[in-house]
Amino acid sequence: MAIDTIDSVLCNGCGICVRNCPMDVIRMDKKNRKAYVKYPEDCMLCGVCLECPQKAIHLVKGYTRHVILGWG
């Protein structure tokens, strides 16, 4: 898994990471309106979650973002 933490102080609950995760790894806690990693084993290391406008998502140390290519 590439996601180390989602900072609950920085997360404003916008849901961008939840909507953009192609593997449905990140979910929204309905009680406190914060994102969290529900299925870490399904993370495909795409790095799309780094589009977080609050910069609340931190990747594991040493991970570098991969280039994402679409299918034709």
Side-chain angles (χ1 to χ4, degrees):
M1 180 178 94
I3 301 172
D4 185 32
T5 59
I6 298 178
D7 189 321
S8 63
V9 175
L10 293 176
C11 177
N12 67 0
C14 70
I16 290 173
C17 59
V18 176
R19 287 189 303 274
N20 290 340
C21 180
M23 299 304 291
D24 201 26
V25 169
I26 304 172
R27 296 291 176 94
M28 187 65 65
D29 184 320
K30 293 178 181 165
K31 183 178 178 183
N32 66 15
R33 296 283 306 149
K34 302 288 181 174
Y36 70 99
V37 180
K38 172 105 178 173
Y39 302 107
E41 66 280 356
D42 291 341
C43 179
M44 65 179 197
L45 309 172
C46 70
V48 173
C49 57
L50 294 178
E51 299 302 318
C52 173
Q54 302 302 315
K55 305 298 183 213
I57 298 177
H58 305 283
L59 303 183
V60 294
K61 190 173 185 170
Y63 174 79
T64 56
R65 185 175 180 174
H66 295 86
V67 175
I68 304 300
L69 301 174
W71 287 275

